[in-house]
């Protein structure tokens, strides 16, 4: 369709979705919704129509529509738009998964028991092959065996499992985030009774940002839909070009069953015309999806600035802001608080904001990466969600808040522990002493290391510790001394997460505060990945592979200043995803955040080649590129 069709070309999409949600003839669908397409508006419109036509029947049958979102903020927005109506169950994937499985204690216990037995067997096999049972790896492995064995033995005492989708799960009866997703996916995929229950309770399940939803759970929902399609509708909202996380399902939306409906939203209501043309051009070699702007939108400004990698970057970025202010006649460009700066990797934010020491080691571990960058890493949450607010309250002499935080988070205030104490007054006095000992680490403006903090917590048992920290903290001084003097030739590879935490715990506590500020968008910096779903009037996208130090993405390869690796060539030949594919998607997400004007700053060892290739790709005109 052409621009002359106006701003309402997607009205038929809302009707298509409403038709799919008809309980008398349910259909499953994948809605393509590109950047700024207004998918939330379409979702709310379809659900409002559903409530009018079918809401009473759902209320009588005690049924709900499940709407699964990627973030709590998105869930809150949708709840508000739906007027908090009770026939809609809106939550994040973790909250929804827990809603489904929390009552199946015996089944969960069986799953956890099987997994623990398998883990212990694997650890014991590795231990039997160790060349030296006194090296760091073997000692840590022995403690992991002990911890898992203890958990296995305690399973018989668990009467009901607990789980907090938004916090820490360190208690003996707690499940962690990955366990909840894994258990839910397993139950839905393999248990007929579970499929019956889910389809009966939630005849319609809608998944927002489906391209980044955990692959194992998406696959389980596909199984559910296949087996229950006469009474069940699965709706996926997404855009494969905006898939950012490695644990999402690749090529979602392709090879769907022939009876699926595939509506497409063509409009981009967010950005000015030139920005939309750029993002259309970026994705043109990937698929045939093409967006169009609103009729009343301005042309907008897009510029590519290229600088030598060795240049003064602070000065360069200031110059770019001044140039953009002149080009757009917008003084807000020279006010840093009014410009959103997007950087390729969280490494760059960590360096610029001062939390590199804690971030760098953890980010190297694949299984920690996603939870580290979205703020849900449970081990780190001990410092971020408990110790940080405790110290902030202490520094302002807010004694009430200090005690509230201690009582809320310390197992020493557990009612049973206090009741079983022979001398309850002494027990409470001891707690006070433990708190004093912990807070003393900050005396005289000290900035203690995370290791020092962890040592006090382990020694006093003031707060529950995740198993990873128990393994690290339980090392004796003699063992630690042995590790430090051990010949590396006698060492064997340790658990990479333990190795990472050994390094991260050397960081100062002030880095936790800076990391938390970054997560809460308290800085002008954000990553290309972290802004998905957000929009800003003025955006700067900074490209610098050297500073990013990442290996998942490479703008040098995307812009042709670095040859594809052997792995890239192999993956391309086999039809698999390459680093260039991932980088193109990331570039699309970053550029599509801009509403009015967009500046891209590319630091390169070969600025001339970047310019040549950027023009060859057809992404920028000569007049839009400046080497500075």
């Amino acid at each position: 369709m052409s621009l002359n069709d106006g701003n309402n070309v997607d009205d038929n999409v809302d009707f298509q979705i409403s038709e799919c949600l008809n309980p008398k003839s349910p259909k499953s669908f994948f809605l393509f919704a590109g950047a700024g397409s207004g998918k939330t508006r379409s979702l709310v419109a379809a659900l409002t129509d559903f409530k009018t036509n079918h809401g009473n029947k759902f209320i009588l049958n005690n049924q709900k529509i499940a709407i699964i979102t990627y973030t709590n903020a998105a869930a809150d927005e949708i709840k508000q738009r739906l007027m908090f109506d009770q026939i809609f169950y809106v939550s994040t994937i973790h909250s929804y998964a827990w809603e489904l499985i929390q009552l199946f204690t015996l089944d969960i216990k069986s799953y956890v028991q099987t997994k623990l037995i398998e883990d212990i067997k694997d650890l014991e096999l590795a231990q039997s092959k160790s060349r030296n049972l006194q090296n760091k790896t073997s000692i840590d492995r022995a403690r992991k065996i002990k911890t898992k064995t203890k958990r296995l033995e305690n399973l018989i005492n668990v009467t009901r499992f607990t789980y907090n989708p938004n916090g820490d799960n360190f208690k003996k009866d707690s499940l962690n985030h990955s366990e909840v997703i894994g258990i839910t996916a397993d139950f839905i995929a393999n248990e007929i009774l579970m499929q019956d229950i889910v389809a009966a309770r939630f005849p319609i399940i809608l998944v927002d940002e489906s391209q980044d939803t955990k692959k194992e759970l998406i696959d389980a929902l596909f199984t559910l839909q296949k087996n229950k399609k006469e009474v069940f509708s699965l709706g996926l909202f997404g855009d494969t070009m905006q898939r950012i996380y490695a644990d999402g399902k690749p090529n979602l939306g392709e090879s769907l069953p022939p009876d699926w409906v595939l509506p497409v939203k063509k409009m981009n209501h967010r950005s000015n015309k030139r920005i939309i043309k750029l993002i259309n051009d970026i994705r043109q070699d990937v698929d045939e999806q093409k967006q169009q702007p609103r009729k009343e939108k301005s042309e907008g400004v897009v510029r590519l600035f290229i600088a030598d990698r060795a240049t003064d970057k602070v000065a360069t970025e200031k110059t770019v802001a001044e140039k953009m202010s002149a080009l757009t006649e917008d003084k807000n460009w020279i006010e840093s608080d009014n410009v959103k700066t997007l950087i390729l990797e969280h490494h760059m934010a960590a360096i610029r904001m001062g939390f590199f020491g804690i971030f760098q080691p953890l980010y190297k571990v694949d299984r920690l990466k996603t939870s580290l960058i979205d703020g849900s890493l449970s081990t780190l949450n001990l410092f971020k969600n408990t110790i940080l607010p405790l110290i902030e309250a202490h520094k302002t002499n807010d004694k009430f808040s200090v005690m509230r935080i201690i009582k809320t988070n310390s197992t020493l205030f557990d009612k049973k522990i206090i009741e079983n104490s022979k001398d309850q007054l002494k027990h409470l006095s001891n707690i006070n002493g433990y708190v004093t000992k912990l807070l003393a680490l900050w005396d005289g403006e000290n900035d203690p290391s995370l290791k020092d903090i962890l040592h006090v917590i382990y020694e006093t048992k003031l707060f529950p510790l995740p198993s990873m920290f128990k393994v690290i903290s339980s090392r004796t001084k003699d063992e630690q001394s042995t590790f430090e003097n051990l010949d590396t030739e006698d060492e064997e590879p340790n658990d990479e997460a333990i190795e990472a935490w050994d390094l991260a715990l050397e960081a100062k506590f002030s880095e936790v505060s800076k990391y938390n500020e970054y997560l809460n968008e308290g800085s002008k910096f954000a990553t290309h990945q972290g802004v998905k779903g957000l929009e800003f009037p003025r955006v700067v996208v900074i490209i610098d592979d050297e500073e990013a130090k990442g290996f998942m993405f490479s703008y040098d390869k995307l812009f042709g200043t670095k040859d594809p690796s052997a792995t890239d060539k192999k993956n391309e030949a086999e039809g698999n995803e390459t680093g260039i594919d991932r980088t193109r998607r990331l570039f699309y997400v970053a550029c599509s955040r801009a509403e009015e004007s967009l500046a891209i700053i590319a630091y390169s060892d070969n600025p001339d080649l970047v310019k040549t290739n950027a023009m060859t790709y057809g992404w920028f005109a000569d007049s839009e590129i400046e080497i500075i």
Side-chain angles (χ1 to χ4, degrees):
M1 295 184 181
S2 68
L3 290 177
N4 294 328
D5 292 316
N7 297 330
N8 302 316
V9 296
D10 291 337
D11 286 357
N12 66 310
V13 171
D14 297 354
F15 175 77
Q16 284 180 283
I17 297 173
S18 293
E19 286 288 295
C20 290
L21 303 185
N22 185 345
K24 296 178 181 178
S25 58
K27 295 182 180 67
S28 293
F29 64 91
F30 178 87
L31 169 67
F32 166 77
S37 61
K39 65 178 177 183
T40 303
R41 188 196 66 79
S42 290
L43 172 64
V44 170
L47 292 176
T48 301
D49 182 67
F50 178 91
K51 177 186 173 183
T52 301
N53 296 321
H54 310 289
N56 289 336
K57 183 178 179 181
F58 261 48
I59 292 172
L60 288 173
N61 293 338
N62 195 27
Q63 294 175 314
K64 296 178 184 290
I65 293 181
I67 301 104
I68 301 171
T69 66
Y70 202 77
T71 65
N72 284 312
D76 291 341
E77 179 185 354
I78 293 173
K79 286 177 187 176
Q80 190 170 9
R81 290 204 202 182
L82 292 172
M83 308 294 289
F84 301 94
D85 194 285
Q86 293 303 302
I87 69 166
F88 304 119
Y89 184 91
V90 188
S91 74
T92 62
I93 190 66
H94 290 92
S95 296
Y96 181 64
W98 182 236
E99 171 68 19
L100 293 180
I101 68 171
Q102 61 180 311
L103 298 181
F104 298 98
T105 301
L106 292 178
D107 300 277
I108 295 173
K109 190 177 293 189
S110 176
Y111 179 97
V112 173
Q113 182 182 47
T114 300
K115 186 70 169 63
L116 284 171
I117 290 172
E118 291 174 354
D119 289 348
I120 293 169
K121 183 179 179 181
D122 290 342
L123 288 167
E124 288 177 338
L125 178 61
Q127 195 76 326
S128 69
K129 297 178 181 179
S130 175
R131 299 187 302 273
N132 179 5
L133 292 176
Q134 297 306 310
N135 66 28
K136 180 180 178 182
T137 301
S138 296
I139 290 174
D140 286 349
R141 190 188 294 124
R143 291 210 164 89
K144 288 176 73 175
I145 292 172
K146 183 178 179 181
T147 299
K148 288 181 180 292
T149 301
K150 188 174 181 180
R151 188 185 184 197
L152 181 62
E153 293 170 346
N154 183 65
L155 277 180
I156 194 172
N157 300 317
V158 175
T159 56
R160 187 169 182 176
F161 288 94
T162 62
Y163 172 67
N164 180 356
N166 302 310
D168 303 324
N169 298 281
F170 299 150
K171 295 181 180 179
K172 293 180 180 180
D173 57 1
S174 295
L175 297 172
N176 61 44
H177 299 308
S178 60
E179 284 177 328
V180 167
I181 295 298
I183 293 168
T184 305
D186 182 78
F187 286 5
I188 292 176
N190 300 308
E191 300 295 336
I192 300 299
L193 177 59
M194 189 65 172
Q195 294 175 11
D196 291 341
I197 292 171
V198 174
R201 288 186 62 194
F202 301 98
I204 300 170
I205 297 178
L206 307 177
V207 184
D208 192 18
E209 299 290 357
S210 56
Q211 74 278 353
D212 274 325
T213 301
K214 297 281 188 181
K215 176 184 180 299
E216 62 211 275
L217 199 53
I218 288 292
D219 285 339
L221 291 175
F222 276 137
T223 299
L224 174 64
Q225 188 275 334
K226 179 181 178 181
N227 294 341
K228 293 289 181 181
K229 60 183 176 182
E230 300 300 325
V231 295
F232 174 77
S233 173
L234 175 61
L236 305 179
F237 292 70
D239 176 8
T240 53
M241 193 66 185
Q242 296 189 69
R243 182 170 66 86
I244 296 300
Y245 298 109
D247 49 8
K249 184 176 176 62
N251 303 317
L252 184 66
E254 298 180 11
S255 302
L256 291 170
D259 58 345
W260 276 56
V261 179
L262 305 175
V264 175
K265 290 180 72 70
K266 297 180 180 297
M267 290 295 297
N268 181 318
H269 300 278
R270 172 187 298 156
S271 303
N272 281 341
K273 296 175 182 177
R274 178 62 187 95
I275 297 166
I276 294 174
K277 182 182 184 305
L278 173 62
I279 61 177
N280 282 341
D281 291 339
I282 291 171
R283 77 179 299 160
Q284 68 178 351
D285 293 332
V286 178
D287 56 33
E288 298 178 357
Q289 302 294 350
K290 197 170 185 178
Q291 291 184 297
Q292 61 188 58
R294 294 185 64 84
K295 289 180 66 175
E296 70 274 15
K297 283 289 186 178
S298 302
E299 185 63 26
V301 174
V302 169
R303 288 293 185 273
L304 172 61
F305 298 95
I306 312 170
D308 190 276
R309 197 161 263 147
T311 193
D312 182 333
K313 292 173 184 176
V314 173
T316 297
E317 289 157 28
K318 182 179 179 182
T319 298
V320 167
E322 292 169 351
K323 287 178 177 290
M324 288 298 293
S325 180
L327 283 167
T328 60
E329 298 181 351
D330 181 357
K331 292 182 179 179
N332 284 305
W333 264 101
I334 56 177
E335 299 290 335
S336 62
D337 289 343
N338 295 327
V339 179
K340 197 65 177 180
T341 301
L342 305 186
I343 49 188
L344 172 59
E345 285 274 4
H346 299 267
H347 281 100
M348 296 167 70
I351 292 169
R352 293 175 182 223
M353 292 185 65
F355 57 91
F356 189 72
I358 191 173
F359 185 87
Q360 165 78 350
L362 303 177
Y363 191 67
K364 288 183 176 180
V365 181
D366 283 342
R367 72 176 189 263
L368 303 181
K369 185 177 296 184
T370 298
S371 54
L372 176 66
I373 60 182
D374 69 15
S376 65
L377 184 59
S378 58
T379 38
L380 188 52
N381 284 348
L382 168 69
F383 298 106
K384 182 170 67 75
N385 296 344
T386 301
I387 304 302
L388 181 58
L390 176 68
I391 299 311
E392 288 175 345
H394 171 61
K395 288 183 175 180
T396 58
N397 201 32
D398 185 352
K399 296 181 179 179
F400 175 80
S401 292
V402 168
M403 286 311 301
R404 176 181 54 79
I405 293 167
I406 297 294
K407 285 184 176 180
T408 300
N409 295 283
S410 178
T411 52
L412 296 180
F413 274 102
D414 184 276
K415 185 178 179 181
K416 290 183 179 179
I417 293 178
I418 294 176
E419 289 176 349
N420 293 334
S421 176
K422 294 179 181 179
D423 188 336
Q424 295 184 5
L425 288 178
K426 185 178 180 181
H427 177 76
L428 296 174
S429 177
N430 287 341
I431 295 175
N432 187 62
Y434 300 153
V435 174
T436 300
K437 183 174 183 177
L438 176 63
L439 297 179
L441 293 174
W442 283 266
D443 285 353
E445 300 299 318
N446 282 341
D447 187 11
S449 70
L450 301 187
K451 181 187 286 186
D452 291 338
I453 298 167
L454 188 60
H455 176 73
V456 172
I457 296 173
Y458 177 77
E459 187 179 72
T460 61
K461 295 182 173 58
L462 189 57
F463 300 113
L465 294 176
S467 58
M468 181 76 67
F469 286 167
K470 289 178 181 177
V471 169
I472 293 173
S473 301
S474 62
R475 296 172 185 154
T476 66
K477 289 184 179 180
D478 288 342
E479 288 171 347
Q480 193 63 43
S481 177
T482 300
F483 300 157
E484 292 169 358
N485 294 301
L486 193 65
D487 189 328
T488 54
E489 292 184 1
D490 295 330
E491 187 60 278
E492 59 182 292
N494 198 357
D495 182 305
E496 58 179 351
I498 293 180
E499 293 280 11
W501 267 114
D502 277 332
L503 295 172
L505 288 171
E506 298 293 339
K508 297 296 185 180
F509 181 73
S510 56
E511 293 197 20
V512 175
S513 179
K514 293 169 183 174
Y515 166 71
N516 191 57
E517 179 187 354
Y518 175 62
L519 284 178
N520 294 329
E521 300 178 21
S523 77
K524 68 176 183 178
F525 297 110
T527 61
H528 300 188
Q529 303 101 313
V531 294
K532 190 168 54 136
L534 303 179
E535 55 191 36
F536 312 95
R538 291 158 292 277
V539 171
V540 176
V541 176
I542 294 180
I543 294 172
D544 186 356
D545 286 353
E546 187 174 276
E547 186 180 356
K549 300 183 186 300
F551 59 90
M552 292 289 289
F553 309 100
S554 174
Y555 278 106
D556 288 343
K557 293 179 184 177
L558 180 64
F559 281 93
T561 61
K562 183 178 180 180
D563 292 333
S565 66
T567 301
D568 287 324
K569 293 176 181 177
K570 181 176 182 291
N571 283 332
E572 183 177 12
E574 295 175 353
N576 297 325
E577 178 181 89
T578 68
I580 296 173
D581 296 329
R582 290 190 294 269
T583 308
R584 185 192 296 267
R585 292 201 304 268
L586 198 62
F587 192 43
Y588 175 90
V589 169
C591 293
S592 62
R593 300 310 98 192
E595 297 172 285
E596 300 171 8
S597 49
L598 168 67
I600 298 144
I601 305 175
Y603 293 107
S604 174
D605 296 325
N606 193 340
D608 289 326
L609 185 55
V610 172
K611 178 177 180 178
T612 298
N613 288 338
M615 293 172 59
T616 301
Y617 297 163
W619 295 354
F620 303 92
D622 183 38
S623 60
E624 294 177 319
I625 304 175
E626 182 177 351
I627 297 178
I628 55 177

